[in-house]
Amino acid sequence: MDRQVEIPLPSGHRMRAHWFCPKNANPHQAGIIAIHDIFGYTDDIERIGHRLAANGYPVLVPDLYDLPGSKPLCVVKTLKAHEMGKGEAFEQLEACRQWLLNQPEELVTQVGVMGFCMGGRFAVLYAVQAPVQVVAPFYGEIPKDHEKLQGICPAVGGWGKTDLVYGSHGERLASHLDRLGVPHDIKTYEGVGHSYMNQHPGFVFEKLAAVSPMRARYDEEASEDSWRRVISFFEKVFSGEIQFPSAAKPYTSF
């Protein structure tokens, strides 16, 4: 079952989001917030929401561009928060976490965050601020300073090596997590570019991105391997096989 819902924000605005309920929920009372890429709420992020739900997770997919005002201004505000690491987008994500924990349809006591490209960076930075159990970032920008990730939870994610813009950021994240002593499964795929898990058929992006510096293109083999790693890592975290104390911290808005 899936449907559109509205998430109340501190500003009083009600943000559009999509709610996916699994046919058979996982036994760990765990739910996921899935964060879209720079293209916003598309069929692609719905596809990802369905896949997570098919693996037993209640999933909430917010539209971070749904803010009061004109659409271009909303996009600019979200991208500014993405670069600054603070702003209304993080309050939107926190509102999603609270909604997920308090909605009456599925019992959720643990929360994970998954994001792609822009959403990957949001997922990482939000996981530093919020008491989430696990984060799954894919090919997003990672801060240079490992101290910026102090307090992050266990992480699983992936990057493409041929992405000339962010391809090295997976190794950067793995190095930061090693230094911080945080459990992780971060993989950089050889011969793969940016957005290798996303599908945007018909977008001009699909036609031009493969020759851009990001070498962006869907790659089925890397995508399926990433899905296997994500589902396995989620199971280990939510079952308690992997434990890390940062998930018990209170939410802190920067």
Side-chain angles (χ1 to χ4, degrees):
M1 181 185 73
D2 67 279
R3 69 177 192 277
Q4 185 171 310
V5 296
E6 294 182 339
I7 309 301
L9 303 179
S11 66
H13 180 69
R14 300 182 71 85
M15 176 181 63
R16 181 174 77 111
H18 214 87
W19 173 230
F20 300 82
C21 292
K23 290 183 179 179
N24 299 297
N26 71 89
H28 310 304
Q29 300 174 8
I32 308 297
I33 301 167
I35 311 173
H36 59 72
D37 59 17
I38 197 169
F39 295 110
Y41 192 98
T42 63
D43 290 344
D44 183 59
I45 196 66
E46 282 199 7
R47 175 185 64 84
I48 288 165
H50 279 296
R51 180 137 187 187
L52 287 165
N55 281 276
Y57 293 101
V59 184
L60 186 64
V61 180
D63 179 358
L64 295 186
Y65 294 155
D66 182 10
L67 292 167
S70 69
K71 184 64 175 287
L73 180 59
C74 294
V75 172
V76 169
K77 288 177 66 175
T78 303
L79 293 178
K80 183 177 179 180
H82 172 263
E83 293 305 311
M84 298 296 292
K86 59 183 178 180
E88 192 167 0
F90 294 94
E91 300 303 322
Q92 290 171 274
L93 293 173
E94 177 60 10
C96 288
R97 186 181 71 88
Q98 294 291 344
W99 187 94
L100 195 54
L101 291 170
N102 293 307
Q103 49 73 33
E105 298 174 45
E106 300 284 344
L107 182 58
V108 174
T109 60
Q110 302 187 86
V111 176
V113 186
M114 188 175 190
F116 304 86
C117 183
M118 178 188 79
R121 177 173 168 85
F122 271 129
V124 167
L125 298 181
Y126 177 67
V128 173
Q129 303 177 31
V132 294
Q133 276 64 45
V134 64
V135 61
F138 285 88
Y139 31 85
E141 180 184 357
I142 300 300
K144 292 181 180 179
D145 185 356
H146 77 280
E147 289 293 337
K148 294 288 182 69
L149 301 188
Q150 188 70 49
I152 196 171
C153 57
V156 54
W159 274 255
K161 189 72 170 180
T162 64
D163 176 354
L164 300 182
V165 180
Y166 298 120
S168 64
H169 287 226
E171 293 169 350
R172 177 188 290 178
L173 177 59
S175 176
H176 288 352
L177 296 175
D178 283 339
R179 192 165 180 179
L180 294 169
V182 178
H184 65 86
D185 176 4
I186 305 298
K187 185 172 180 177
T188 299
Y189 292 90
E190 296 288 342
V192 174
H194 195 76
S195 292
Y196 69 80
M197 292 182 75
N198 297 110
Q199 300 180 46
H200 294 294
F203 279 35
V204 173
F205 169 83
E206 280 284 284
K207 300 175 182 178
L208 301 179
V211 295
S212 76
M214 288 185 172
R215 305 292 194 271
R217 177 181 291 173
Y218 175 73
D219 187 285
E220 183 174 6
E221 184 176 352
S223 178
E224 290 303 312
D225 183 67
S226 293
W227 275 112
R228 285 189 291 270
R229 292 189 302 107
V230 165
I231 298 306
S232 173
F233 198 83
F234 280 5
E235 172 66 23
K236 290 176 182 177
V237 171
F238 291 133
S239 69
E241 182 178 340
I242 294 176
Q243 297 185 9
F244 198 70
S246 69
K249 68 183 184 293
Y251 173 69
T252 304
S253 178
F254 295 157

